[in-house]
Amino acid sequence: MSALSDPSGVPQRPWWRRSLMLSALLPLLLLGVLLAIIVTTQTGLGDRTAPPIEELTINRITLPVANQLVVNVTNGGPDPVTVAQVQVDDAYWMFEITPNKTIPRLGSATITLPYPWVQDEPHLVTIITTNGVTFAHQLAVATRTPSITIETVGRYALLGIYVGFIPVSLGLLWFPVLRRLGRSGMQVILSLTIGLLVFLLVDTLAEAMDVIADTAPIFGGSSLVLMVTLISCGFLMTLGRNRTQIPPSRLQLAYRIALGIGLHNLGEGLAIGAAFASGSAALGTFLVIGFTLHNITEGIGIAAPLTRERPSMAHFVGLAALAGLPAVLGVWIGGFIYNTVLTALFLALGAGAIAQVIYEVGYLLYRQSNDDRTPLFSKAVFGGFVAGVGIMYATALLVTA
Amino acid sequence: MMGLAGSAMALNASLAPASAQTPTHPSSNQHSGQTGDHVSLMANMVMGDVDNKRNNFDPLALLTDFDYGTVTTLPDGRTLREYTLIAGDQLIEIAPGVMFPAWSYNGRVPGPTLRCTEGDRLRITFINGSSHPHSVHFHGIHPANMDGLEAIPSGETFIYEFDAEPFGLHLYHCHTVPLRRHIHKGLYGVFIVDPPQPRPDAHELVMVMNAFDTNFDGANEFYAVNTVAFHYAKHPIPLKLNELVRIYLVNITEFDLINSFHLHANMFHVFRTGTQLQPHEFTDTIMLAQGERHILEFRYKFPGQFMFHAHVSEFAELGWMSLFNVTETGATLPTMPTFTEQADPFGVCTLITGEL
């Protein structure tokens, strides 16, 4: 503010101050005037003659009991939408809608139909609005939606432990082997870690894009995912670097990798929980085995920066928990309160965290090659990277149901 | 918020077999979140009811509404019948709460049922009050210049004049291109030419099998007889026991190649296109391609509620599902206000600008 003060004298300061405030407020005042003009004169573009633009998204179809279908919808369009009729499998069906058949912008409604759905068969729900516009959503495989009971909570937790905590812990058990590798072996392991993290980044982003595509466009779609990824990555970069410019310690780095992988596993858990709840993951056991094999490599990634340290056992348990247990939370959320926007946000956060640890591990690799005066892009390093991506790709084949 | 126990649910009591009835109402079971043992037969239904006043026509009244024209005698002794058809743009409620931007003749879909006797001279004054060019193309035998292929521009008038031949059940519709859209948006009606010797006395009902593509994707969302989906399921058509019933059945469904009519617990005589007085067939199901029409005759031997619907199950479940209510006495149907009585025939119409 001092640069803007009038140099000629102190008495004018209050006036300048007010003037500065005025110039800061002027655009806002003018904006207010403009809005008032627009509201009173209707922009002068003439009356809107086109029919309203309707945009209804069916978020989820649940089957809480036999002979009942529950459809959750969100209005993501600029105008209110009135649900006139509902079809199930090309047949008009009686329904109840709460709270109101007219859904305001950004509002949601729940439609309940007494429909005799058939176990293991697909069903198509189509909503017809007052203007005759249709919005359809396919329920891939009909199966009763699990309710929250001690049994299902326990079973889902077990599922999360199988796909998250156990494989990460098993991977960490390679730590003694990793320690015995020489310096060049270490380079390979770090680059392998980068390879698998790059795979997870691409995979998580792709999954987030897939999920967000099914949500109401008003929430931002793919740009929301990318922005959240960037912000998440940027936030983690600034974390721990406030006072000093030095990069995080190796143990800190391991925790960061664990956090990134944990968020990724949370996203994976969401997908698995939702798939189990909606019946589309009928492969059950095979899918669980696939995820276990797929995620075992994640443990190596977490252990990789620690090979020159002697961390306590507690740290290993902590790392495994941070990376693996979010999968349990994910399965719970995905299975019981599946929310597509929330899922996409978690995945985007995970992608950002993974991008950040890729940078950190890359920096570690760079420092190490500087210390050793070895080329950064050696054949061994490149080979490790390709192996990391390759292992993840190959094991991912097991989980594409 | 709509209650499940609408008027259609009341039908459940009379329609569902006794064994299917449970002390607790199936829909109230659903509401309380318990497992429903069964789903009501009439759960396949639209919610609510249409506003006949806003539509300017009651589907029950359309059944028996015949326009015989203004009758005069020509110098040569023949009968001259003069009709007026006005095309307009109109929003109609084709199912409860679903508005469709229709094109109509005389403010209703289907248009008026024009009725005459073979050999009459017909003079139809067509006024195009719609925002698009339209025409009237009659089925039957007439000269080329009366065939209705020439589009009459918005605001202009054309007089179609020809002799009524042959006797039978015909139809008329707009023949302006794009043809599919001009027909599907509602420009059609029934054209009955009676034989010189009238058919036997009967309770006569006009039924136009039509459908609406509300999202304009080339496939129909709603099917019906006389426009309003499920209307006769919610408001069964009264019939008198043992009375001869004659249905003038016309198929003007677009997009789907065929439609059909199936009568429950009965059989009917079929007079194909109504051009002969001898029945062709005695059956309970008949298939009609686009533009086909037949006269059906039957009597009900037993009282009660009887379904009739398209035996194309998809169409039935999308609205072409109806009921007869057969009683000892029958009941009178409501009547249409005559077109000229209406001060503003298109009072409820909304002129739609743009492409629709």
Side-chain angles (χ1 to χ4, degrees):
Chain A
M1 194 172 280
S2 60
L4 290 166
S5 316
D6 185 37
S8 65
V10 179
Q12 282 189 337
R13 253 186 89 111
W15 165 244
W16 272 109
R17 274 199 178 170
R18 255 179 284 150
S19 174
L20 183 70
M21 231 159 77
L22 192 70
S23 43
L25 286 176
L26 189 64
L28 292 177
L29 285 172
L30 288 176
L31 178 69
V33 172
L34 180 70
L35 288 177
I37 291 171
I38 288 174
V39 167
T40 49
T41 67
Q42 305 285 328
T43 70
L45 295 175
D47 285 341
R48 186 171 136 184
T49 51
I53 299 153
E54 300 186 321
E55 186 59 63
L56 210 57
T57 303
I58 298 180
N59 305 316
R60 198 185 184 193
I61 300 170
T62 47
L63 315 170
V65 290
N67 294 338
Q68 191 179 56
L69 259 167
V70 179
V71 184
N72 183 262
V73 292
T74 296
N75 175 8
D79 294 303
V81 173
T82 301
V83 173
Q85 301 297 341
V86 182
Q87 289 176 9
V88 186
D89 300 333
D90 287 341
Y92 285 100
W93 219 261
M94 303 191 91
F95 64 93
E96 246 177 31
I97 182 164
T98 53
N100 202 298
K101 64 177 175 173
T102 298
I103 308 168
R105 183 169 192 243
L106 284 177
S108 289
T110 302
I111 300 167
T112 309
L113 305 105
Y115 191 83
W117 54 269
V118 182
Q119 179 71 35
D120 299 338
E121 289 184 9
H123 290 289
L124 180 72
V125 172
T126 308
I127 292 170
I128 291 98
T129 72
T130 300
N131 295 304
V133 180
T134 54
F135 298 96
H137 189 84
Q138 171 108 33
L139 181 70
V141 183
T143 192
R144 196 162 157 178
T145 311
S147 50
I148 304 181
T149 61
I150 293 169
E151 195 214 333
T152 51
V153 167
R155 203 187 314 150
Y156 278 14
L158 197 62
L159 191 60
I161 286 167
Y162 275 137
V163 303
F165 186 71
I166 291 178
V168 170
S169 308
L170 290 178
L172 281 171
L173 290 178
W174 270 312
F175 179 69
V177 180
L178 298 182
R179 276 182 68 86
R180 283 194 204 143
L181 295 171
R183 289 192 75 86
S184 63
M186 207 38 241
Q187 297 267 52
V188 174
I189 289 302
L190 284 177
S191 56
L192 180 132
T193 301
I194 291 174
L196 69 94
L197 287 172
V198 164
F199 181 92
L200 290 182
L201 172 65
V202 173
D203 186 53
T204 310
L205 262 185
E207 178 71 22
M209 295 294 187
D210 260 12
V211 172
I212 203 81
D214 292 335
T215 63
I218 199 163
F219 293 121
S222 50
S223 46
L224 174 76
V225 166
L226 290 176
M227 289 307 129
V228 170
T229 302
L230 282 174
I231 289 167
S232 150
C233 179
F235 174 75
L236 291 167
M237 289 288 269
T238 61
L239 208 69
R241 279 174 211 232
N242 292 342
R243 284 177 293 271
T244 56
Q245 274 300 310
I246 54 154
S249 74
R250 284 167 179 256
L251 186 61
Q252 277 176 328
L253 181 54
Y255 272 106
R256 279 168 182 237
I257 295 173
L259 175 70
I261 287 174
L263 283 168
H264 168 83
N265 286 344
L266 176 77
E268 229 163 43
L270 285 166
I272 295 168
F276 266 73
S278 68
S280 57
L283 287 169
T285 317
F286 184 68
L287 194 69
V288 170
I289 293 171
F291 270 113
T292 309
L293 289 177
H294 184 53
N295 291 352
I296 201 161
T297 339
E298 293 172 354
I300 303 177
I302 296 164
L306 297 175
T307 47
R308 292 179 189 176
E309 317 269 314
R310 289 185 176 278
S312 65
M313 194 62 204
H315 278 308
F316 281 109
V317 174
L319 287 167
L322 184 59
L325 287 183
V328 176
L329 191 65
V331 177
W332 281 337
I333 298 173
F336 297 125
I337 48 161
Y338 187 70
N339 178 311
T340 39
V341 177
L342 200 65
T343 304
L345 285 180
F346 275 127
L347 289 167
L349 283 174
I354 293 164
Q356 200 268 333
V357 288
I358 289 173
Y359 170 81
E360 299 291 4
V361 179
Y363 190 65
L364 185 66
L365 188 66
Y366 166 76
R367 273 194 304 165
Q368 197 156 310
S369 60
N370 257 10
D371 292 351
D372 302 352
R373 302 191 176 281
T374 53
L376 180 59
F377 294 101
S378 65
K379 279 177 188 158
V381 167
F382 183 68
F385 174 79
V386 172
V389 175
I391 290 168
M392 292 309 275
Y393 177 78
T395 52
L397 293 177
L398 297 172
V399 295
T400 38
Chain B
M1 168 106 179
M2 297 160 118
L4 278 178
S7 57
M9 294 309 286
L11 295 166
N12 179 43
S14 52
L15 270 170
S19 60
Q21 288 182 20
T22 49
T24 35
H25 208 277
S27 64
S28 52
N29 270 349
Q30 307 307 327
H31 188 50
S32 60
Q34 293 161 9
T35 305
D37 288 336
H38 76 290
V39 170
S40 158
L41 173 65
M42 298 307 272
N44 169 210
M45 181 54 62
V46 286
M47 300 296 291
D49 217 342
V50 292
D51 185 346
N52 292 334
K53 274 217 171 67
R54 181 171 57 186
N55 268 355
N56 227 17
F57 62 87
D58 178 349
L60 277 173
L62 288 183
L63 288 165
T64 53
D65 188 57
F66 299 99
D67 184 353
Y68 291 93
T70 307
V71 183
T72 48
T73 308
L74 291 167
D76 63 2
R78 288 169 62 200
T79 300
L80 170 72
R81 293 183 190 270
E82 293 177 276
Y83 306 89
T84 305
L85 289 177
I86 305 176
D89 302 348
Q90 184 181 3
L91 268 179
I92 53 172
E93 194 180 2
I94 53 138
V98 181
M99 304 305 291
F100 180 79
W103 289 333
S104 65
Y105 288 123
N106 293 7
R108 46 177 274 182
V109 177
T113 299
L114 307 185
R115 194 161 186 183
C116 57
T117 305
E118 190 176 53
D120 291 348
R121 186 70 175 168
L122 308 180
R123 187 178 292 158
I124 301 105
T125 304
F126 172 60
I127 303 164
N128 186 359
S130 160
S131 56
H132 280 254
H134 297 299
S135 67
V136 189
H137 160 73
F138 286 87
H139 285 222
I141 300 169
H142 48 246
N145 63 346
M146 290 294 135
D147 200 34
L149 295 187
E150 191 192 334
I152 310 306
S154 190
E156 293 192 16
T157 299
F158 187 87
I159 297 169
Y160 299 95
E161 192 170 331
F162 52 89
D163 295 334
E165 63 172 323
F167 77 79
L169 171 57
H170 309 307
L171 71 151
Y172 64 89
H173 58 84
C174 180
H175 214 298
T176 305
V177 287
L179 186 57
R180 191 169 70 166
R181 182 156 294 209
H182 278 254
I183 292 179
H184 147 249
K185 275 172 76 85
L187 289 168
Y188 44 78
V190 179
F191 174 41
I192 299 171
V193 180
D194 286 323
Q197 289 295 318
R199 294 173 201 274
D201 270 354
H203 183 44
E204 298 190 316
L205 303 168
V206 174
M207 293 191 185
V208 177
M209 302 195 287
N210 54 357
F212 296 90
D213 172 18
T214 63
N215 59 6
F216 295 91
D217 66 348
N220 294 309
E221 271 69 44
F222 291 92
Y223 293 81
V225 268
N226 298 342
T227 302
V228 180
F230 291 110
H231 194 80
Y232 302 130
K234 285 173 179 281
H235 307 276
I237 300 169
L239 290 185
K240 199 173 164 185
L241 200 65
N242 291 319
E243 186 182 40
L244 180 65
V245 179
R246 179 175 299 125
I247 294 179
Y248 294 96
L249 181 70
V250 176
N251 178 25
I252 195 70
T253 310
E254 274 300 334
F255 309 113
D256 299 290
L257 298 184
I258 60 151
N259 206 324
S260 73
F261 179 101
H262 166 55
L263 187 64
H264 275 223
N266 211 338
M267 302 287 270
F268 52 78
H269 289 285
V270 181
F271 301 79
R272 302 187 76 87
T273 322
T275 46
Q276 289 179 40
L277 296 174
Q278 295 306 313
H280 292 79
E281 202 177 351
F282 189 56
T283 180
D284 65 3
T285 304
I286 186 152
M287 176 179 83
L288 294 88
Q290 291 186 356
E292 266 196 295
R293 63 275 176 193
H294 303 309
I295 294 174
L296 317 179
E297 287 186 0
F298 58 90
R299 296 169 202 271
Y300 262 102
K301 194 176 166 182
F302 300 104
Q305 289 204 338
F306 298 97
M307 274 187 169
F308 65 101
H309 56 87
H311 216 297
V312 186
S313 307
E314 180 199 353
F315 301 176
E317 294 191 328
L318 288 172
W320 184 170
M321 166 63 71
S322 307
L323 287 168
F324 285 124
N325 187 29
V326 183
T327 57
E328 292 282 349
T329 53
T332 48
L333 286 165
T335 52
M336 287 285 288
T338 52
F339 189 55
T340 48
E341 279 173 13
Q342 297 163 350
D344 173 17
F346 297 111
V348 291
C349 301
T350 309
L351 268 177
I352 298 147
T353 54
E355 286 169 27
L356 283 177

